[in-house]
Amino acid sequence: MTHKTLYDKIWDSHLAHINAETGEALLFIDLHLIHEVTTPQAFAGLKAAGRNVRRPDLTLATADHNTPTENQAAGLEGVKDEQARTQLEMLSKNVKEHGIEFYPMGHINNGIVHVVGPEQGRTQPGMTIVCGDSHTSTHGAFGALAHGIGTSEVEHVLATQTLRARKMKNMAVRVSGKFQDGVGAKDLALHLISVIGTAGGTGSVMEFMGEAIEAMSMEARMTLCNLSIEGGARAGLVAPDETTFDYIKGRPSAPKAGQWDAALSYWKTLFSDEDAHWDEVVEIRAEDVAPTVTWGTSPEQALPLSADAPIPSEISDPIKRAAAERALDYMGIEAGKPLKDLKIDRVFIGSCTNSRIEDFRAAAEIVKGKKVADGVRAMAVPGSGLVNAQAEEEGLDQIFVEAGFEWREPGCSMCLGMNPDTLAPQERCASTSNRNFEGRQGRGGRTHLLSPVLAAKAAIAGVLGG
Amino acid sequence: MKKTFSRHSGVAAPLLIDNIDTDQIIPSREMKTVSKEGLGEGLFAGWRYTEVGGREPNQEFVLNQNSKIDSTILIAGSNFGCGSSREHAVWALSEYGIRVILAVSFGEIFHANCLRNGILAVSLSQDNIDALANASNEGEITVDLVEQTVSAASIKDWKCDFEIGAYPKKMLMEGLCPIEMTLTNEKAIDAFLQVDKETRPWVYTV
């Protein structure tokens, strides 16, 4: 018995060097995912120093943040925003120069970086995975240590295939029991963040465990780990199991036949030992998690959909009270009013949090044979070309289109207001994305985070609580 | 050019809101550049200007007040820099002239990004943050990295200590390049690879 957590095991197996005095380690990186927005300065830095990419074979590129979600067949010439086009062109040039595999806009494998890695089988248990994007935590769903890094660190990983890191703390989130019908990973994540706060996991790797987690699909685990960063934890983890192995098997970059058995035996050692030490433990009963939405401008400002908006004068903590006042004012919500009655203008089903096939299946079940409410503009945006193709094969795209949704082409879309898909000031949006920050989806836009099921219901009803 | 840090005195602007995320520090629409330059203008764009893409100053915003326009220090609440990993937030702060951020706590990726760009990000208690925010209206704030203290011109005989690891302190003081430092360990990386290729061959045969 080794008394180690899953995180301890992955950390130990990737230590290329550690400075005994300072605790500063060099962690070997198994997979470096890159995209157009956070890499141009890193490649420029490499060039200026006369360095090369150390392991292009362990690097994978896709274009996602800036790409428009319509008319992608027109290629880069069709990208109207000149600066966005320059970033996309720069990525194409840099990957070509360094021999890095790249799925450009319009390629069947193109899509959101955190959808692409897993669906290609590049994301595997026990790996270390980094990307210049905070939602890299998504890949923790496979039992991989995965987190976001800044552009200076991107340059460091390109040059050395290592990351300078310090050991983080171990936090366990145990979720017992079974969820109520229609409640799932998104509701759990928002509920958890509302309990521990957006800084609750700061300095920790958050491992999710327990009956409710074991019962989850890979898509649900990805949603959950994706949102661990919104709870302050750079990385989330779920120990790999049969669900994980079944998901990986047969994917293009899964270990080949001669290596599959060896990989599988290795992966089966990746779990937290029973007597491992936890710096912090959070216990949640799945039955206690309600369908959950955010009402404010921080992911911790979340409540059950059946609740009323908070009344700031009833909040005793002065900082939290001021934050609530500010958020209600920005969101245009009257204190104490039922959240479910809020009239919405827009619906967005997509983003690295919720744009996988299971998300669209769940939403399609709700909208099938129904119509989007008058005055609501609803968008469904698949996370990748492959999700799009699968949805088309299952006829899901038609279900959305017949209901009055726009079925668009893959990309980050309206999650971050960086491409043409944005909210107008004061527009209220039911969104399956990950951040309800002020202006995140467009200046003055009002974002309510929720699950694909709740977003679909809202689209039909025209109010948040459909 | 190496950017080093030892001691800094300057005008400090209080922004006492918790959870100021990197989307507030620089909105995504302001970061479609391929260089580290030109981002200072986009700093706090959503709060600093009256319109999207416009440059008409919003007089309500602290950095637009005459006494604070030349701020080199920011004073903030909890979880400053949470959210997106965008280093553009740090480049924008740096270009604006910010050298130090004093906050109750920081988003982790942001904190790491500050270190790599010569910005000193210091965690202090809420009480000390409040005291310094008040004092910032009456004179300069001084941050001494060597001594690990923060003091205010307007509070006589007062200073507070802060903690910083030996490695980040050295990095800031000497303006070290992490890639150069790592490359001195190249043999250790090669040795790791030799062994790991035997243990996990499937990782290296994509």
Side-chain angles (χ1 to χ4, degrees):
Chain A
M1 200 47 95
T2 57
H3 321 291
K4 285 180 179 179
T5 64
L6 172 54
Y7 168 54
D8 296 338
K9 289 179 183 179
I10 304 174
W11 171 271
D12 289 349
S13 65
H14 287 81
L15 266 187
H17 182 261
I18 188 157
N19 182 324
E21 241 170 83
T22 64
E24 196 73 20
L26 282 182
L27 215 54
F28 190 79
I29 298 302
D30 294 324
L31 176 62
H32 187 192
L33 300 165
I34 62 173
H35 63 85
E36 76 276 20
V37 177
T38 57
T39 54
Q41 297 87 350
F43 280 108
L46 276 190
K47 190 169 220 172
R51 296 187 179 113
N52 271 320
V53 176
R54 178 164 177 152
R55 293 300 299 244
D57 57 329
L58 304 184
T59 312
L60 177 66
T62 185
D64 55 4
H65 283 61
N66 267 334
T67 51
T69 58
E70 56 186 353
N71 199 23
Q72 292 184 350
L76 293 189
E77 280 117 65
V79 179
K80 293 189 190 85
D81 182 332
E82 203 178 310
Q83 287 180 300
R85 194 170 62 241
T86 305
Q87 278 188 341
L88 291 163
E89 284 167 353
M90 199 68 111
L91 181 63
S92 302
K93 184 178 153 288
N94 285 328
V95 293
K96 199 169 170 195
E97 201 174 311
H98 293 281
I100 294 166
E101 189 166 357
F102 175 42
Y103 305 139
M105 183 177 76
H107 189 289
I108 180 72
N109 292 348
N110 172 261
I112 307 174
V113 63
H114 310 309
V115 177
V116 169
E119 78 184 1
Q120 290 299 320
R122 290 296 294 258
T123 300
Q124 294 171 14
M127 279 186 163
T128 47
I129 302 175
V130 293
C131 172
D133 187 281
S134 59
H135 291 108
T136 308
S137 58
T138 310
H139 307 263
F142 291 79
L145 174 61
H147 60 75
I149 54 176
T151 297
S152 296
E153 289 174 316
V154 168
E155 185 181 338
H156 188 280
V157 177
L158 287 172
T160 69
Q161 203 57 32
T162 65
L163 186 72
R164 299 186 78 86
R166 292 179 71 83
K167 187 88 190 275
M168 295 184 265
K169 287 182 290 182
N170 281 293
M171 180 173 182
V173 178
R174 290 204 181 98
V175 189
S176 62
K178 288 194 176 67
F179 292 110
Q180 304 167 38
D181 281 348
V183 174
K186 187 64 169 279
D187 305 285
L188 170 64
L190 294 175
H191 171 80
L192 171 70
I193 298 163
S194 76
V195 173
I196 66 168
T198 49
T202 301
S204 302
V205 170
M206 202 183 262
E207 184 179 338
F208 300 96
M209 55 185 75
E211 191 189 346
I213 308 298
E214 286 159 22
M216 278 183 178
S217 66
M218 286 316 296
E219 283 87 349
R221 293 177 191 180
M222 283 189 254
T223 299
L224 185 58
C225 288
N226 172 280
L227 291 164
S228 63
I229 181 69
E230 307 313 326
R234 252 177 122 166
L237 276 176
V238 176
D241 59 10
E242 291 303 323
T243 306
T244 322
F245 311 144
D246 288 348
Y247 180 97
I248 298 170
K249 196 159 195 180
R251 291 189 183 265
S253 295
K256 303 292 172 285
Q259 294 179 328
W260 175 262
D261 290 343
L264 196 61
S265 331
Y266 183 88
W267 294 346
K268 286 183 175 170
T269 66
L270 299 170
F271 53 85
S272 289
D273 297 325
E274 257 178 48
D275 55 354
H277 170 75
W278 296 100
D279 298 290
E280 198 173 344
V281 178
V282 177
E283 308 262 3
I284 291 177
R285 281 166 27 108
E287 293 83 359
D288 294 344
V289 180
T292 303
V293 298
T294 61
W295 55 267
T297 54
S298 165
E300 70 185 27
Q301 292 172 321
L303 281 169
L305 179 57
S306 58
D308 296 336
I311 300 171
S313 61
E314 292 175 358
I315 300 172
S316 54
D317 179 339
I319 293 173
K320 281 209 164 19
R321 183 167 63 235
E325 273 167 4
R326 187 183 167 95
L328 288 172
D329 180 52
Y330 177 87
M331 294 294 291
I333 298 175
E334 212 178 307
K337 286 283 148 99
L339 294 174
K340 63 179 171 42
D341 295 343
L342 288 168
K343 204 183 157 318
I344 56 164
D345 307 298
R346 306 282 296 270
V347 172
F348 171 54
I349 302 181
S351 87
C352 60
T353 313
N354 284 119
S355 65
R356 298 178 182 83
I357 193 67
E358 186 183 278
D359 299 315
F360 294 110
R361 285 180 189 143
E365 212 165 290
I366 305 289
V367 304
K368 191 171 188 174
K370 302 201 176 81
K371 290 284 176 205
V372 170
D374 282 347
V376 173
R377 183 178 169 201
M379 287 167 37
V381 188
S384 70
L386 290 171
V387 171
N388 185 33
Q390 178 70 27
E392 284 178 0
E393 201 183 304
E394 296 179 22
L396 302 180
D397 59 326
Q398 281 314 308
I399 293 175
F400 284 106
V401 170
E402 278 162 20
F405 270 78
E406 295 169 32
W407 179 262
R408 300 177 74 93
E409 293 172 313
C412 295
S413 185
M414 209 163 64
C415 176
L416 84 165
M418 194 160 193
N419 52 68
D421 305 343
T422 54
L423 293 180
Q426 277 86 55
E427 270 189 326
R428 187 179 303 286
C429 181
S431 178
T432 67
S433 56
N434 40 59
R435 290 184 174 136
N436 52 344
F437 299 160
E438 279 183 33
R440 168 81 175 181
Q441 295 189 297
R443 193 176 182 190
R446 295 163 171 171
T447 306
H448 295 274
L449 304 177
L450 73 191
S451 71
V453 165
L454 294 185
K457 287 182 177 173
I460 305 304
V463 290
L464 201 54
Chain B
M1 196 181 69
K2 276 187 181 177
K3 204 169 177 181
T4 58
F5 195 109
S6 54
R7 192 170 184 273
H8 175 80
S9 296
V11 175
L15 260 173
L16 296 183
I17 303 170
D18 285 352
N19 297 318
I20 294 180
D21 55 77
T22 50
D23 273 76
Q24 304 316 318
I25 301 173
I26 189 162
S28 61
R29 62 179 179 273
E30 296 279 352
M31 49 182 255
K32 290 177 198 164
T33 165
V34 294
S35 99
K36 298 181 187 179
E37 274 118 51
L39 291 156
E41 266 200 31
L43 182 69
F44 294 118
W47 293 341
R48 192 165 148 207
Y49 307 118
T50 54
E51 279 171 53
V52 172
R55 292 295 182 251
E56 177 75 32
N58 164 20
Q59 294 303 338
E60 306 268 295
F61 186 61
V62 62
L63 290 178
N64 289 329
Q65 292 161 11
N66 283 338
S67 60
K68 297 294 185 190
I69 227 159
D70 295 324
S71 293
T72 55
I73 300 172
L74 283 184
I75 306 177
S78 295
N79 210 18
F80 186 82
C82 61
S84 159
S85 65
R86 56 186 71 166
E87 198 161 319
H88 308 70
V90 176
W91 297 328
L93 286 162
S94 181
E95 188 171 292
Y96 184 88
I98 301 297
R99 297 296 321 274
V100 181
I101 305 164
L102 307 171
V104 177
S105 61
F106 292 90
E108 274 174 72
I109 306 176
F110 176 82
H111 195 268
N113 287 340
C114 282
L115 181 61
R116 277 160 180 77
N117 289 276
I119 291 184
L120 175 59
V122 171
S123 297
L124 297 173
S125 69
Q126 185 74 53
D127 286 348
N128 284 333
I129 287 292
D130 291 342
L132 287 162
N134 278 332
S136 70
N137 294 322
E138 304 291 332
E140 291 195 340
I141 301 292
T142 296
V143 182
D144 191 324
L145 178 57
V146 184
E147 300 282 331
Q148 296 182 212
T149 58
V150 184
S151 56
S154 64
I155 323 179
K156 281 214 162 58
D157 302 322
W158 178 89
K159 56 184 167 185
C160 62
D161 298 331
F162 65 86
E163 297 204 359
I164 183 168
Y167 165 73
K169 184 172 178 173
K170 188 176 157 76
M171 243 180 100
L172 284 165
M173 290 192 63
E174 298 176 24
L176 299 175
C177 167
I179 297 178
E180 279 171 23
M181 287 163 68
T182 296
L183 291 175
T184 64
N185 295 118
E186 212 164 358
K187 276 191 183 147
I189 301 171
D190 290 340
F192 170 86
L193 269 171
Q194 284 291 330
V195 176
D196 197 50
K197 273 180 187 164
E198 301 292 321
T199 317
R200 302 182 308 142
W202 60 89
V203 172
Y204 302 94
T205 46
V206 179

